[in-house]
Amino acid sequence: MALIGIDLGTTNSAVAVWTDAGPRLLANAIGENLTPSVVGLDDDNAILIGQAARNRLVTHPERTVASFKRWMGTTRETRLGRGHVFRPEELSAFVLKSLKEDAESNLGGEVREAVISVPAYFNDVQRKATLDAAGLAGLKVERLVNEPTAAALAYGLQTRKEGLFLVFDLGGGTFDVSLLDSFEGVMEVRSTAGDTFLGGDDFTRVLADALAEQHRLVLDDLPRADVARVLRACEAIKHALSTAQQTEYEILIGGKAITGRLDRARFEQASQLLLGRIRAPLERAIHDSKRRLTDIDAVVLVGGATRMPMIRSLVARLFTRLPLGQVDPDTVVALGAAVQAGLKARDAALEDVVMTDVCPFTLGTGVTQNARTRDETVVVLPIIERNSPVPISRAQTLTTINDNQRSVRVTVYQGESLRPEGNILLGELDVAVPPAPAGKESIEVRFTYDINGALETEVTVKSTGERERRIFRNASNLPQSEIEQRFAALAEIKIAPREQAANRALLARAEALYEELLAEDREHLSRLIASFEHDIGKGHEIERVRSEFAAALDKLERLTFRLI
Ligand code: AMP
């Protein structure tokens, strides 16, 4: 049975498989390699996934949701329509399920296992949420692979280049940097760093703020549909500014057309704060790798947002004279996940490739600062330092601080701060110790961090040999019983049939457009919709009917917001 590789992105997702000829992307029901990570509820209360949902973001904002990857690992719930409330894991599960079906339809058989990529900087809680999402979609995760690692795998395999390369991955919602060493078929991740709240969507937002300022508008005061339209226009302006120096636009706001012009310089000026946030993870990754900037042989740009010229020139400025790797920034992660799947399946063609990764953050335990002075201040004692190669197992011995102390509370923190409150508490466990004078009893706290980024904690009481082992599931992760319950509930929810995806996507786009047009344009469109529905009902020459309808929509769309 095939093992697939999935890039579960903030903006778009993609699925690929390892073949004799290398990794191959698998197209979705509408023939595209990228599936928007958007979920919606249609008028019959069926779930829409991908392009059809994306097309309804403006017209049905209360029934559609995007960018939910940002909430993975939180308990935030999204209400779609009246009755349906979903957690981020469930929304991600819909996307995974749809990719699973696309893979099955391409490969002609059932698919149950996947390698899924996650941002390197995803913490334990976010990784477990991703595993839960896969479980809800009926997929067993063979491996979680860090996105930059996947990108480097695909890049390394494609170019067969050796040396130290830096993967610079700016996606829709996250920024990751990794340094990888590739020599004689061994690919070794040296370090990784990132910012889980920085991505292309933030650049769209600053552009929207700049546009609003030009027209003395406050975005937050506008109706949701207007805000969505401004954001959609700014997304298009942002893309246009990746190739043109400036662009003029016309957008309908509150029923009135507003026009203006934005250029690269204004966009770049508005983006200064965001650009400033790019430096820190770069510096940290280079520092932690114990290599110097001059040791780097190539920079691989990954993620759609690296298409922005200001990002390319920032990279060029920081890494003068370094060549930029030529890969498709949108699909390289999915391809790399498929390579990882090939590695996992021990494909003969990959026999000589070995891959090692690192743990992206420090893992430690809370200890009392100074037992002798009875200073009760708790600090975090690192046990596994960030950027240590994984799998890794490390231990520290702790002693009791009070006479006749009956138990020790072992806390597990993730993060770089000395103070507990500056880190994420992954879990805690109490272990019983025999009563004895302070400092006499001791415990060994061992952390084992596996290749998927899952942490196991083992505590051994030295004097009795008693052992306690635990894999923590954070309070925001779903307990197994709830996963099973939710899995059953999701199976009950109607999902719009896959074979109708293309028609639904077009109809959603047409209806969105209908709300924006006026007078005769509107009437014209309503006739086009009726005739399209009639033609698809008849069921022949569907391809031709679809492409003619799409061309007509292209023409009409230019009337609502356009780049002039
Ligand atoms: P990803 O998560 O890698 O699919 O990246 C998606 C992000 O890349 C979104 O914020 C897109 O707006 C952005 N993006 C894609 N293409 C371009 C482009 N040509 N110019 C600027 N940004 C782009």
Side-chain angles (χ1 to χ4, degrees):
M1 202 186 323
L3 174 61
I4 53 172
I6 292 179
D7 169 12
L8 182 61
T10 310
T11 322
N12 292 303
S13 295
V15 55
V17 69
W18 177 257
T19 71
D20 293 342
R24 178 167 68 89
L25 290 163
L26 301 172
N28 62 20
I30 57 173
E32 284 169 6
N33 289 333
L34 295 181
T35 297
S37 308
V38 184
V39 171
L41 207 57
D42 78 0
D43 304 330
D44 302 327
N45 282 335
I47 293 285
L48 294 172
I49 301 148
Q51 194 59 48
R54 182 185 220 160
N55 289 343
R56 289 165 56 95
L57 264 174
V58 171
T59 43
H60 300 81
E62 69 296 335
R63 294 172 77 84
T64 319
V65 56
S67 292
F68 37 84
K69 180 174 170 180
R70 287 183 176 216
W71 312 323
M72 287 293 268
T74 72
T75 51
R76 177 172 173 153
E77 292 191 322
T78 304
R79 182 176 292 277
L80 291 186
R82 267 195 222 117
H84 293 79
V85 177
F86 298 109
R87 289 185 43 135
E89 295 93 318
E90 291 174 293
L91 297 169
S92 296
F94 284 125
V95 176
L96 289 172
K97 210 164 169 184
S98 141
L99 297 172
K100 175 179 182 282
E101 281 169 18
D102 292 334
E104 287 171 342
S105 140
N106 275 277
L107 302 170
E110 206 191 343
V111 170
R112 274 197 239 122
E113 295 171 343
V115 169
I116 301 181
S117 62
V118 287
Y121 235 64
F122 250 23
N123 63 41
D124 203 59
V125 186
Q126 292 163 309
R127 282 165 199 262
K128 282 182 184 140
T130 308
L131 295 177
D132 290 347
L136 291 172
L139 280 171
K140 178 171 170 283
V141 178
E142 270 299 321
R143 169 77 79 86
L144 288 180
V145 59
N146 290 332
E147 285 165 10
T149 309
L153 261 180
Y155 173 77
L157 206 74
Q158 197 177 315
T159 59
R160 294 266 167 209
K161 277 212 180 98
E162 304 230 312
L164 183 69
F165 29 86
L166 183 138
V167 178
F168 182 107
D169 180 356
L170 190 63
T174 52
F175 174 47
D176 277 320
V177 190
S178 283
L179 270 166
L180 294 103
D181 229 345
S182 168
F183 58 93
E184 291 170 4
V186 178
M187 183 98 66
E188 203 173 294
V189 180
R190 289 262 166 200
S191 62
T192 179
D195 184 336
T196 35
F197 288 91
L198 177 64
D201 297 352
D202 300 299
F203 286 82
T204 307
R205 183 71 207 195
V206 296
L207 201 54
D209 288 337
L211 185 145
E213 194 187 302
Q214 269 183 355
H215 299 282
R216 297 203 171 75
L217 291 168
V218 178
L219 282 184
D220 291 339
D221 295 347
L222 294 178
R224 258 176 95 170
D226 277 344
V227 176
R229 199 176 310 115
V230 170
L231 286 173
R232 202 155 57 97
C234 286
E235 181 70 17
I237 294 169
K238 181 177 83 171
H239 283 228
L241 291 178
S242 288
T243 45
Q245 283 296 337
Q246 61 169 39
T247 180
E248 288 178 35
Y249 56 82
E250 185 178 287
I251 312 173
L252 274 182
I253 296 180
K256 267 204 328 238
I258 60 159
T259 56
R261 176 195 304 163
L262 277 162
D263 61 20
R264 272 192 199 168
R266 177 73 190 92
F267 183 23
E268 200 167 326
Q269 182 199 1
S271 307
Q272 282 312 307
L273 276 179
L274 297 177
L275 291 177
R277 282 168 60 191
I278 281 179
R279 264 175 182 275
L282 279 175
E283 282 165 3
R284 178 186 270 193
I286 295 172
H287 172 265
D288 284 3
S289 71
K290 303 195 176 64
R291 305 288 285 271
R292 279 176 312 202
L293 200 133
T294 47
D295 297 333
I296 301 171
D297 296 300
V299 179
V300 186
L301 294 181
V302 180
T306 58
R307 291 208 162 93
M308 289 186 287
M310 67 174 111
I311 296 294
R312 290 182 170 253
S313 51
L314 176 79
V315 172
R317 254 199 329 274
L318 292 171
F319 305 98
T320 13
R321 291 196 305 277
L322 277 181
L324 296 185
Q326 291 304 322
V327 289
D328 174 3
D330 293 323
T331 54
V332 67
V333 172
L335 292 172
V339 176
Q340 182 66 59
L343 279 173
K344 195 81 200 164
R346 298 240 167 275
D347 190 276
L350 291 168
E351 226 162 39
D352 55 344
V353 180
V354 178
M355 178 80 218
T356 69
D357 213 329
V358 294
C359 152
F361 16 64
T362 299
L363 296 160
T365 189
V367 293
T368 305
Q369 198 161 34
N370 192 336
R372 263 181 299 119
T373 59
R374 303 261 156 156
D375 173 0
E376 302 267 302
T377 312
V378 174
V379 294
V380 177
L381 172 73
I383 295 186
I384 295 179
E385 299 256 53
R386 70 165 186 262
N387 288 319
S388 307
V390 292
I392 185 171
S393 189
R394 288 262 184 287
Q396 286 275 358
T397 299
L398 311 178
T399 50
T400 51
I401 53 166
N402 296 319
D403 289 338
N404 296 322
Q405 185 174 336
R406 291 304 177 98
S407 72
V408 182
R409 170 158 294 185
V410 176
T411 49
V412 182
Y413 286 102
Q414 170 186 297
E416 310 309 320
S417 173
L418 174 68
R419 310 273 165 219
E421 56 277 16
N423 296 290
I424 296 176
L425 177 67
L426 294 181
E428 47 194 15
L429 72 120
D430 290 317
V431 282
V433 287
K440 276 279 172 268
E441 279 296 322
S442 59
I443 56 168
E444 183 193 75
V445 179
R446 175 170 292 279
F447 286 177
T448 305
Y449 194 80
D450 77 6
I451 197 85
N452 288 320
L455 172 72
E456 190 192 86
T457 306
E458 189 183 82
V459 182
T460 313
V461 181
K462 288 267 182 87
S463 63
T464 62
E466 227 160 278
R467 198 167 280 182
E468 175 99 32
R469 192 177 287 169
R470 197 79 67 82
I471 293 180
F472 292 111
R473 296 189 64 80
N474 193 282
S476 67
N477 287 123
L478 297 170
Q480 191 57 34
S481 57
E482 200 175 334
I483 293 188
E484 277 156 28
Q485 212 179 347
R486 283 179 188 252
F487 181 80
L490 288 189
E492 297 282 301
I493 292 180
K494 201 167 49 160
I495 296 187
R498 184 175 183 277
E499 61 275 14
Q500 288 174 19
N503 300 343
R504 282 183 181 262
L506 274 179
L507 274 173
R509 191 173 145 203
E511 280 167 26
L513 192 55
Y514 181 84
E515 295 197 8
E516 297 188 17
L517 295 175
L518 290 170
E520 63 264 31
D521 296 323
R522 206 170 214 202
E523 265 168 49
H524 174 50
L525 179 57
S526 90
R527 281 195 301 274
L528 285 176
I529 292 176
S531 127
F532 178 67
E533 282 180 322
H534 175 255
D535 288 349
I536 55 175
K538 282 197 306 195
H540 56 259
E541 289 202 75
I542 287 289
E543 291 299 328
R544 183 185 57 79
V545 167
R546 268 205 288 262
S547 75
E548 281 178 10
F549 189 46
L553 294 182
D554 283 347
K555 239 195 210 163
L556 285 169
E557 239 162 27
R558 274 178 231 128
L559 302 172
T560 69
F561 86 74
R562 55 189 180 128
L563 306 182
I564 310 163

